[in-house]
Each structure stands twice: as structure tokens, then as C-alpha cells.
Amino acid sequence: MQQFFSHSIESFTDWVTDHGQPSYRAGQVYEWMFAKKVFDFSQMTNLPENFRKLLIENFTLPAWKIEKQVSTDGTQKFHFELEDGKSIEAVWIPEKNRQTLCVSSQVGCALKCQFCVTGLQGFARNLTQEEILEQIRHVMFVENLPLTNLVFMGMGEPLLNFENLCSAIDLLKEPKAFGFGHRKISVSTAGTVPKILPFIDRTNVSLAVSLTGSTDETRNHWMPINQKYNLSILKETLMQVPQTKWKKIMFEVVMIHQKTDTEEQAKNLVKFLRGMKAKVNLIPYNENEHFPQLKAPKREDLMKYRDILMKAGYYVSIRKNRGQDIMGACGQLSSHLNQAKMSS
Ligand code: SAH
């Protein structure tokens, strides 16, 4: 048995022709799924009966246990139990003119950022291509929710699951499959430096880089990956990104009260950004019971930080906290730490 959604269009087409069928049959299968929203091979009535049987005998589609929570602000969090019993989460965030799904790339995360709930559970495994895509397929075709944008900002460090991430993005962009424009997909990295240039080379989607600490001393503490790839190595790598791709890079800074939201941190950030065409997204810390000592920033500190960056000429946006009441906001996703609450 093979996972249908772990195939590329090319490899599935090869499978079809290897089994004595004309290649256009592959296109018919994708058409049933993505245009007609029919995922049951037995109902694909323009395919010969024996070919339908062959598909049923050879391909599985995911069968996950799914729980959903809806926030008072309309955000929806999906808890997906995978076939091996492990679980991941994805969050659907509706806004006026766009709807975004925050997608996971790994079960857990190895990077242990000192403010992130996912990091507390450690790393279990990478998601397969199919497991990445199924989060999106479920929301679009089972829940029938509108979806315009995808952000790989859920559980895990996407660039540490490089191959499956890139091949999933191929199908997400494929007009015959999910059909997302490359501007509608954004991948966030904690700074997996060796994979940044290969990623920019391989896909043309947007990249976000999580900084949070703007000196090595602070970043070593908050994001231990900095001990391996420090700020100067990160900057040196980013400076090699071709000019034409720069408009797609965004820096994310988690604003933690009196820790990362200080004037000094803002000034150091300006120094770090010097020479780069940067956009900055400030993420007010989402408080949670796992890190009770960490607090959201005061509004005036947030504004002061923003003004320092803006005066230095950088575009700055501030992320809205959505889905906090269902532990669905940035950095709050976990396989099991939230479970007690969900089932109560
Ligand atoms: N591993 C990737 C993607 C997942 S995290 C990365 O680090 O970029 C997505 C964003 O949420 C990151 O910028 C991360 O720093 C931020 N984040 C983590 N915990 C948070 C919290 N409790 N409050 C606000 N943002 C948080």
C-alpha cells in the first residue's frame, strides 16, 4: 500500500503508465479529487472498473481521528491524531479578506526555544508529504472552510523536514492539485542556516526568519539554535539571497515583557538588520501556563520598539493574537500538553 498524497504528479503518472493505463488517467484522478472533491476511488466513474480496483488495492488515503475547537474570535484549532497514534495541530484563522491555515511540519520540535510550548514536548518525527498536505486537504475539502493563505508556523522546524516540505509545496502550488499561488505560502524558520539558500533556490514561496533575540547573548538563551548558527552566520547567509527574492523575507520577533521588548534589544535589532532590506513582524508573547514567568509586552513598550525600527526605515507589522483561549496562538501548539483541557 502507498500513501496517495505522498506521490508527486509525475511519480503518480509514472505509476499509472507502468500499470498499462494512458497517462491522462492520472489527470482524471486529480480532477476527481481537486475539482469535484471526490476522494473515493470507487466513485470515479469515468475510470475503467479494473483501474478503479487497482487504485483501491494500491493506495490509501489518510484516516485520522480529528478533534476541533472553536475560539470566541472564530479561529479554529484542529487536533489530528495520525495513523501511528502521534498527533499534531493546525489552526485556521479567518480575517476579513483572507483565511490562513497555520500548518505543522513535524511532530514536536527539537529546537527547544525557551518560550515555545511545542519545544517542551521534544522531537518525535518528521511528517510525511501526505501528513503535511492532509492538514490542508481536511480544512479545504472536509470542513469546506475557505482558505487563501498557508503559513508553516505550526509545530516543528520546517527546514529540518526539507524534502517532504518542498515536495508538499510542489503539490500545493500545482494548479491541477491545491493550486495556491507562491505568494500565498510562507515558511517560517528558526534559523536552520544550511537549508536557507537551498530552500530559496528550490521553491519561490516566502520565507520568514524567527529572530526574537537581537544579540548573540540573548538569542543563545531564547533560541538555542543560535549557539550553532549565530547571528553573524545567519546574516552572512541571508546576504547571499538574490536581490529579486529579498522582498519575500520577513523577520519575526517574539515580544516578551522586559526580556525581548526593551529599547536596547530594538537598537541591537536595527544594527543586525543594517544592510538588509527587512520587514519585521512583532509577535506579542502568547502567555501560557507552561512558562508562567513570561508575560505579554505592555502596549507602550511594543510601540516604542516599533518606533525605533520604523525610524530606522524598516516596515513593521504587529501580529494579532488569535485563538488564545483554545491554545491556538503562536507557540501554543502541542501534541499532548493541551490534551487535558481539550477533553474536559
Ligand atoms: N520553527 C519555526 C516555525 C514555528 S513557530 C520558527 O521558529 O520560525 C512560529 C512563530 O511563533 C515563531 O516566530 C516563534 O518564535 C513564535 N512563537 C513561539 N512561541 C510563541 C509564543 N508563546 N508567543 C508568541 N510567539 C511565539
Side-chain angles (χ1 to χ4, degrees):
M1 279 297 205
Q2 311 176 31
Q3 297 184 334
F4 180 79
F5 288 109
S6 280
H7 271 280
S8 63
I9 290 206
E10 295 74 24
S11 68
F12 179 63
T13 307
D14 287 347
W15 185 91
V16 168
T17 52
D18 287 350
H19 286 78
Q21 292 287 330
S23 58
Y24 67 82
R25 296 269 180 242
Q28 288 176 311
V29 173
Y30 286 105
E31 197 180 330
W32 276 106
M33 293 186 169
F34 292 97
K36 301 179 192 157
K37 304 185 188 182
V38 170
F39 294 91
D40 179 348
F41 295 119
S42 69
Q43 289 178 28
M44 299 183 178
T45 47
N46 60 354
L47 303 179
E49 188 119 15
N50 59 351
F51 181 53
R52 277 186 253 167
K53 209 166 139 237
L54 204 60
L55 290 170
I56 295 166
E57 285 164 2
N58 282 276
F59 293 99
T60 55
L61 297 178
W64 292 355
K65 279 195 210 123
I66 297 164
E67 280 180 80
K68 176 166 108 169
Q69 282 177 296
V70 182
S71 161
T72 48
D73 69 17
T75 300
Q76 300 192 18
K77 182 167 85 168
F78 296 92
H79 185 93
F80 298 115
E81 190 182 320
L82 312 178
E83 276 148 28
D84 65 354
K86 296 199 163 32
S87 52
I88 53 167
E89 296 186 323
V91 183
W92 180 79
I93 307 152
E95 288 168 277
K96 205 166 168 207
N97 296 314
R98 60 188 234 164
Q99 301 81 31
T100 305
L101 189 70
C102 180
V103 180
S104 292
S105 56
Q106 299 182 314
V107 181
C109 184
L111 297 184
K112 307 220 171 304
C113 295
Q114 294 298 300
F115 45 81
C116 178
V117 176
T118 307
L120 285 178
Q121 73 178 80
F123 172 71
R125 66 172 175 84
N126 278 329
L127 296 183
T128 63
Q129 174 184 318
E130 171 161 288
E131 288 168 334
I132 294 173
L133 294 172
E134 180 62 5
Q135 300 168 66
I136 300 142
R137 191 192 74 96
H138 177 81
V139 167
M140 287 176 79
F141 298 124
V142 181
E143 301 284 335
N144 281 313
L145 291 169
L147 194 54
T148 60
N149 291 66
L150 300 172
V151 294
F152 284 84
M153 296 185 185
M155 293 164 62
E157 165 56 20
L159 295 193
L160 288 176
N161 187 8
F162 190 85
E163 281 309 320
N164 295 343
L165 171 76
C166 292
S167 57
I169 288 175
D170 288 341
L171 264 194
L172 290 171
K173 288 193 304 191
E174 170 60 51
K176 287 193 214 104
F178 290 90
F180 284 90
H182 63 89
R183 286 189 197 83
K184 303 290 181 182
I185 304 174
S186 176
V187 169
S188 180
T189 177
T192 304
V193 165
K195 297 291 183 192
I196 289 179
L197 294 174
F199 180 72
I200 291 198
D201 213 35
R202 169 82 161 72
T203 78
N204 56 356
V205 303
S206 308
L207 186 71
V209 179
S210 297
L211 277 181
T212 298
S214 54
T215 57
D216 280 327
E217 199 191 347
T218 40
R219 198 165 186 267
N220 279 344
H221 170 72
W222 295 110
M223 300 182 68
I225 190 175
N226 196 72
Q227 296 164 19
K228 201 164 172 192
Y229 309 115
N230 66 21
L231 284 169
S232 56
I233 295 167
L234 178 62
K235 182 166 178 175
E236 203 178 290
T237 303
L238 292 170
M239 296 290 269
Q240 291 173 50
V241 172
Q243 278 298 314
T244 49
K245 305 239 181 175
W246 253 105
K247 62 180 189 303
K248 293 181 188 158
I249 300 187
M250 150 97 79
F251 293 95
E252 296 163 279
V253 180
V254 179
M255 301 294 284
I256 308 171
H257 178 56
Q258 286 187 344
K259 310 267 188 208
T260 62
D261 68 348
T262 63
E263 213 174 309
E264 192 205 337
Q265 281 289 311
K267 286 182 181 153
N268 282 313
L269 183 58
V270 170
K271 277 192 207 143
F272 172 77
L273 295 176
R274 203 161 283 151
M276 296 193 276
K277 274 204 240 154
K279 290 181 285 193
V280 180
N281 188 221
L282 303 179
I283 315 178
Y285 187 67
N286 291 304
E287 295 177 9
N288 59 78
E289 68 196 38
H290 305 288
F291 298 102
Q293 71 286 16
L294 305 183
K295 300 289 177 208
K298 293 226 156 48
R299 196 174 160 76
E300 62 181 82
D301 294 333
L302 192 60
M303 292 305 145
K304 206 186 273 169
Y305 194 110
R306 183 192 68 169
D307 289 347
I308 292 171
L309 288 173
M310 282 180 28
K311 279 203 192 100
Y314 297 106
Y315 173 81
V316 187
S317 52
I318 297 178
R319 192 171 303 176
K320 284 193 215 92
N321 291 336
R322 300 286 303 268
Q324 266 179 329
D325 55 338
I326 53 167
M327 282 294 283
C330 294
Q332 297 188 316
L333 306 186
S334 151
S335 291
H336 51 81
L337 296 169
N338 304 329
Q339 275 307 286
K341 275 201 187 132
M342 281 192 74
S343 45
S344 65

